[in-house]
Amino acid sequence: MIPLSKTPGTRNHLIRKAIYLLVIGIVTTFLWRQGSAPWLHAAEHWPVMIALAALSAFGLVVQTMSFRLMTPPEYRPAFSRTLAIWAVSAAFSVVAPFLAGIAARTTLLVRHGMSLKHCAVASLRQVWLGLEYALLLSALALPCTIWWFSLTAGAACAVGWITMLSFRYKTRAYPHEKASGRFAPLLQAFSAPVPSQAHPWFVLQVLTMTAVYLVGFNGLGAKISVSEAIALSGLTVVLSLLAFVPNGLGITDVVWVALAHSSGLELEQAVAIAIVLRLGHLLGSGLLGMLLQHQLMKEENQDPS
């Protein structure tokens, strides 16, 4: 028998934990070397942080709607319950990787009556459609930016979008009875038609994130255009899927700081933008989650049944 400490799963867990600690150590050391200047600069722009919190809360509503539309009506939990779960998992994602955030959300949804199969399929479909629209809008926006890699990146996004769209449509012609038990839910996720009313919500997901970047960057003095904000939103979606660190910590932040610094801001001002974006997300999702959970608990206590 292989000792537990030597199993691949345990080794992978230890490697991920080491990466998390390394990233947190690097980020902490960097912030420590910057001193109090970025934090004071962020505190001076507290109205921007409040605006970002409101946009983050609205973004959770949009994500909840897109998730519910990926689920058959008879299996959808109540909107308020789903939104509360989404807000809690969003706050959790600040300190946990992307997939861990999905796992926490799935656990809460299953606990409140949604089957694991339907939850997994809906989550996969939402992630897939969200990435499709992020690539599509990025492909349209990147050629309008002044970044030196914009044309190449725009072409890559266009190829990625066409590939994902083609794969999703081709699975409709695949005979479901040939799919093995392991791949049947995956095939179902891709072959089921997307409700027409879902498409605007997926577009709105990217546009809400675009608004977050426009408010965050321009509010702190880093002037970015709408096309740059859309491209940055698409890049954030891609990085959130690829990053093994909590919420892209230390990876998306580098992109934010580099973009803000290249726009003419001092380094401490650029770092302040990353701080405001992170705290705004945490504040919006955390407060919304607590308010909804409190209201739901109050309603349950008042329910005579």
Side-chain angles (χ1 to χ4, degrees), residues 12 38 65 67 72 80 84 110 112 130 132 140 143 180 232 239 258 260 275 282 287 290:
N12 292 337
M65 286 298 302
F67 174 80
S80 57
V110 171
H112 288 89
E132 272 190 24
L140 296 174
S180 63
L232 189 56
L239 289 177
I275 293 174
L282 179 61
L287 288 179
M290 288 189 294

Side-chain angles (χ1 to χ4, degrees), residues 19-31:
I19 292 175
Y20 301 160
L21 293 176
L22 177 62
V23 171
I24 291 174
I26 293 174
V27 172
T28 302
T29 302
F30 176 78
L31 290 175

Side-chain angles (χ1 to χ4, degrees), residues 16-71:
R16 288 195 300 269
K17 188 175 182 179
I19 292 175
Y20 301 160
L21 293 176
L22 177 62
V23 171
I24 291 174
I26 293 174
V27 172
T28 302
T29 302
F30 176 78
L31 290 175
W32 179 267
R33 291 174 63 88
Q34 292 298 309
S36 61
W39 297 94
L40 293 175
H41 191 68
E44 292 174 358
H45 293 82
W46 61 267
V48 176
M49 190 180 303
I50 298 300
L52 292 177
L55 284 171
S56 297
F58 176 73
L60 293 174
V61 175
V62 175
Q63 293 175 31
T64 300
M65 286 298 302
S66 63
F67 174 80
R68 283 169 55 80
L69 290 169
M70 293 296 98
T71 310

Side-chain angles (χ1 to χ4, degrees), residues 199-219:
H199 294 285
W201 290 102
F202 282 104
V203 174
L204 194 55
Q205 280 188 180
V206 181
L207 295 183
T208 303
M209 194 181 304
T210 299
V212 166
Y213 285 135
L214 285 173
V215 171
F217 277 80
N218 290 295

Side-chain angles (χ1 to χ4, degrees), residues 5-282:
S5 59
K6 300 298 183 180
T7 60
T10 304
R11 286 198 298 269
N12 292 337
H13 174 73
L14 292 175
I15 292 174
R16 288 195 300 269
K17 188 175 182 179
I19 292 175
Y20 301 160
L21 293 176
L22 177 62
V23 171
I24 291 174
I26 293 174
V27 172
T28 302
T29 302
F30 176 78
L31 290 175
W32 179 267
R33 291 174 63 88
Q34 292 298 309
S36 61
W39 297 94
L40 293 175
H41 191 68
E44 292 174 358
H45 293 82
W46 61 267
V48 176
M49 190 180 303
I50 298 300
L52 292 177
L55 284 171
S56 297
F58 176 73
L60 293 174
V61 175
V62 175
Q63 293 175 31
T64 300
M65 286 298 302
S66 63
F67 174 80
R68 283 169 55 80
L69 290 169
M70 293 296 98
T71 310
E74 61 271 21
Y75 298 109
R76 294 174 188 169
F79 176 79
S80 57
R81 176 66 67 184
T82 310
L83 180 58
I85 292 173
W86 214 271
V88 171
S89 64
F92 178 71
S93 70
V94 175
V95 293
F98 177 79
L99 293 178
I102 291 182
R105 182 195 314 151
T106 301
T107 301
L108 292 172
L109 288 169
V110 171
R111 185 179 300 172
H112 288 89
M114 192 174 185
S115 70
L116 179 60
K117 173 185 174 182
H118 287 100
C119 184
V121 169
S123 295
L124 180 59
R125 296 185 73 196
Q126 185 192 33
V127 170
W128 187 274
L129 265 296
L131 183 55
E132 272 190 24
Y133 277 101
L135 290 174
L136 171 60
L137 294 178
S138 296
L140 296 174
L142 276 165
C144 300
T145 67
I146 59 174
W147 300 340
W148 63 269
F149 57 87
S150 58
L151 293 179
T152 302
C157 288
V159 171
W161 172 69
I162 293 172
T163 302
M164 294 185 70
L165 188 66
S166 301
F167 180 83
R168 182 162 57 85
Y169 275 94
K170 283 185 177 181
T171 53
R172 295 186 181 182
Y174 187 85
H176 290 209
E177 60 274 8
K178 291 186 178 181
S180 63
R182 178 180 299 179
F183 295 101
L186 185 65
L187 184 61
Q188 179 185 352
F190 292 126
S191 61
V194 178
S196 58
Q197 64 269 33
H199 294 285
W201 290 102
F202 282 104
V203 174
L204 194 55
Q205 280 188 180
V206 181
L207 295 183
T208 303
M209 194 181 304
T210 299
V212 166
Y213 285 135
L214 285 173
V215 171
F217 277 80
N218 290 295
L220 271 75
K223 303 302 181 182
I224 64 172
S225 64
V226 175
S227 58
E228 289 174 331
I230 292 176
L232 189 56
S233 300
L235 179 60
T236 301
V237 173
V238 174
L239 289 177
S240 68
L241 297 176
L242 300 179
F244 293 97
V245 291
N247 207 26
L249 181 66
I251 298 177
T252 52
D253 304 78
V254 171
V255 176
W256 298 340
V257 171
L259 180 59
H261 191 46
S262 66
S263 69
L265 294 186
E266 298 295 332
L267 182 58
E268 61 268 16
Q269 295 174 319
V271 173
I273 290 180
I275 293 174
V276 168
L277 289 171
R278 290 288 182 184
L279 292 181
H281 172 73
L282 179 61

